[in-house]
Amino acid sequence: QSGLTQPPSVSGAPGQRVTLSCTGSISNIGSGYGVHWYQQLPGTAPKLLIYNNNNRPSGVPDRFSGSKSGSSASLAITGLQAEDEADYYCQTYDTSLSGSVFGTGTKVTVL
Amino acid sequence: QLVESGGGVVQPGGSLRLSCVASGFTFSSFGMHWVRQAPGKGLEWVAFIDYGGNDKYFADSVKGRLTIARDSSKNTVSLQMSSLRVDDTAVYYCAKDTGNYKFSWYFDLWGRGTLVTVS
C-alpha cells in the first residue's frame, strides 16, 4: 500500500501540546528513509519544518519536534500558538513507487 | 527563490508548459521537483529531475503524459504537460531538492506555484 496516512484534523488550546501521526508501510517509512514534515499556512506554499525524522531547519522554533519508529512517524507541537494553525504534511521516499510520497495532511486548529 | 509561470486554462486533451526560474543558489548542483495540489486537497509529488538532467522520475498518475527538463544555462526547470485531464487541475509548485550533487528526496525551497485549470 502506497501513501502515508495522517489524521484529518487535530485541535488544541493555546499552550497545549498536540501530536500528529503519520503511518506508512515497509516500502516507505519502514524502509529506512527519513521522514520530513511541512507546514502550509493558508494560501501559501509549504515550508520545510522537520527533516530526516527529527531535525529542524534554521529558524524553526524548538516547539516543533519529530520522531520515527518502525513504519510510523509523528510531529509534536508544544506550547501551541495561534500562528501554528495550518496544514501539516509528512513526506518520504517510497521504494515501490521510485518517487516521493506525501501524507494525506492534518489540519491543526488552535481553539 | 523559485518563480513558476505558464499556468492557465486548457481544455481536456490539451497541452501546457510550465517553467520555473531559480535564483540565489547554484542551480546546477541540485535536483528539482514539481509538486501539485488540487483545489482543497493535499500535496502530490509529480516529477523529479536530477542535478545533471539525466535521471528523471514521475508519479504513476502522470507517467507518459508529462516530461521534465532543465536548462542550467538559464537556471530553469520546465514541465511539459500533454493529454491533460480534468483531474490534473491543481496549483503546481516547483521545489528544490536539498541534496548537493545527490538525491535527498525532500524539499527546502518552494515557489509560490502556478495554477493549471483543465476544463
Side-chain angles (χ1 to χ4, degrees), chain A residues 1-6 22-31 71 92-104, chain B residues 60:
Chain A
Q1 180 182 351
S2 60
L4 308 176
T5 302
Q6 298 180 244
C22 174
T23 303
S25 66
I26 193 68
S27 67
N28 43 63
I29 297 177
S31 69
S71 296
T92 189
Y93 179 79
D94 191 295
T95 56
S96 66
L97 301 176
S98 295
S100 181
V101 62
F102 281 96
T104 49
Chain B
D60 287 343

Side-chain angles (χ1 to χ4, degrees), chain A residues 6-7 10 17-23 35-40 47-51 53-57 60-69 72-78 80 84 86-91 106 108:
Chain A
Q6 298 180 244
V10 166
R17 179 181 191 269
V18 296
T19 302
L20 286 61
S21 63
C22 174
T23 303
V35 177
H36 322 291
W37 292 87
Y38 301 85
Q39 177 192 60
Q40 187 176 32
K47 167 192 165 185
L48 182 63
L49 196 66
I50 296 287
Y51 66 95
N53 307 325
N54 55 13
N55 297 279
R56 287 186 307 276
V60 173
D62 59 6
R63 302 186 292 104
F64 295 92
S65 62
S67 64
K68 171 186 162 182
S69 177
S72 296
S74 61
L75 173 72
I77 310 174
T78 57
L80 195 63
D84 299 333
D87 294 322
Y88 293 82
Y89 295 91
C90 57
Q91 177 256 327
T106 296
V108 170

Side-chain angles (χ1 to χ4, degrees), chain B residues 18-19 34 53 55 59 77 82 85 97 104 111:
Chain B
L18 308 182
S19 293
W34 287 93
D55 286 334
V77 59
S82 61
R85 309 187 303 221
D97 193 274
S104 75

Side-chain angles (χ1 to χ4, degrees), chain A residues 36 91 93 98-100, chain B residues 33 45 48 57 97 103-107:
Chain A
H36 322 291
Q91 177 256 327
Y93 179 79
S98 295
S100 181
Chain B
H33 301 260
W45 172 80
F48 168 72
Y57 300 85
D97 193 274
F103 306 179
S104 75
W105 289 101
Y106 66 102
F107 329 106

Side-chain angles (χ1 to χ4, degrees), chain B residues 1-6 17-23 25 27-28 30-35 47-53 55-58 67-80 92-97 109 111 114:
Chain B
Q1 66 172 356
L2 300 172
V3 179
E4 302 95 336
S5 62
R17 183 174 182 269
L18 308 182
S19 293
C20 170
V21 178
S23 61
F25 64 95
F27 181 73
S28 59
F30 296 91
M32 298 295 295
H33 301 260
W34 287 93
V35 176
F48 168 72
I49 185 167
D50 79 332
Y51 52 87
D55 286 334
K56 304 171 185 180
Y57 300 85
F58 298 91
T67 58
I68 189 171
R70 65 188 296 156
D71 183 343
S72 290
S73 69
K74 298 180 180 178
N75 283 7
T76 299
V77 59
S78 62
L79 189 68
Q80 179 67 47
Y92 284 73
Y93 295 102
C94 172
K96 170 184 165 288
D97 193 274
L109 182 64
T114 186

